[in-house]
Amino acid sequence: MKPSFSDLTMWIISICVFVAVFICILCNMAFTNTIGWLVYPVCSLIFGWLVLMPILYYKKRGIKISFAIITALVMPFLLVIDQLDGGVSWFLPIGVPVSATGIVFMWIIYGLLIKPRSIWFTVPAVIFLSGLLCICIDMIVKNALGEGGFPWSYIVASITSFLAIVISIFGFVMKKRSLQTE
């Protein structure tokens, strides 16, 4: 039986990831003889591999599994990175709220895209929500750092809101035209 393109792709990516992990381990041990920087690329490679494999194996159905893996593992991944950083702890004040916000946004977008809706509703909704996500992340980071600064996120949100409105109006006009020609 001949392996499918998907199976072959999974094997090639898996081999590349684990070769990269092995090379990281060898280099780190050869130069420092400790487990130092090696954790960053190894954790990142394994995390990425775990997220990618369900999509390659299950195709479209694997997206939900990959999102579940992201939901379950992003905070432990960030905690490991924070613990090895050795500097100021950023996991609780920034990592948890930003990743939780990103996870909620990811699932909302998934919910919007999984159900068949008009493209004239879905695209503006995704664009508008991306502006809201930008504001949320900006507020979290500024509150954690205790800085005010220029509210760049409001500019981004204004542009995305305007774009969402323009696309919605265009979609409404196109829909109205198609109804008149029928």
Side-chain angles (χ1 to χ4, degrees):
M1 186 166 105
K2 189 175 178 182
S4 70
F5 178 75
S6 176
D7 292 339
L8 189 59
T9 304
M10 282 178 25
W11 275 104
I12 290 171
I13 289 173
S14 296
I15 290 168
C16 288
V17 164
F18 290 106
V19 164
V21 167
F22 182 70
I23 290 171
C24 286
I25 292 169
L26 280 178
C27 290
N28 195 88
M29 294 307 239
F31 291 115
T32 64
N33 208 19
T34 63
I35 299 177
W37 59 266
L38 135 85
V39 178
Y40 297 110
V42 169
C43 286
S44 300
L45 285 164
I46 293 171
F47 183 76
W49 181 81
L50 287 170
V51 170
L52 185 61
M53 283 302 115
I55 295 171
L56 292 175
Y57 187 76
Y58 294 112
K59 312 264 186 293
K60 197 173 184 179
R61 294 177 306 155
I63 293 172
K64 193 173 189 176
I65 297 167
S66 290
F67 281 9
I69 290 170
I70 291 169
T71 302
L73 295 181
V74 74
M75 288 199 204
F77 171 74
L78 291 175
L79 180 61
V80 167
I81 300 298
D82 180 54
Q83 293 301 309
L84 292 169
D85 188 20
V88 176
S89 179
W90 48 263
F91 177 69
L92 285 176
I94 297 175
V96 171
V98 168
S99 59
T101 304
I103 289 168
V104 168
F105 178 77
M106 174 185 73
W107 283 107
I108 290 171
I109 297 299
Y110 177 78
L112 281 171
L113 296 176
I114 199 72
K115 292 186 179 181
R117 291 184 174 89
S118 167
I119 193 166
W120 302 114
F121 169 78
T122 306
V123 171
V126 169
I127 291 171
F128 176 75
L129 288 170
S130 66
L132 288 181
L133 175 68
C134 188
I135 288 174
C136 290
I137 291 173
D138 189 39
M139 288 173 49
I140 291 167
V141 171
K142 284 181 180 172
N143 285 338
L145 298 177
E147 297 177 6
F150 188 78
W152 292 104
S153 61
Y154 293 124
I155 293 174
V156 173
S158 298
I159 293 169
T160 56
S161 297
F162 175 74
L163 190 59
I165 290 168
V166 168
I167 293 171
S168 295
I169 292 170
F170 183 74
F172 177 75
V173 169
M174 294 298 290
K175 193 173 187 178
K176 193 172 181 181
R177 262 195 202 156
S178 70
L179 290 175
Q180 288 175 350
T181 58
E182 289 180 2

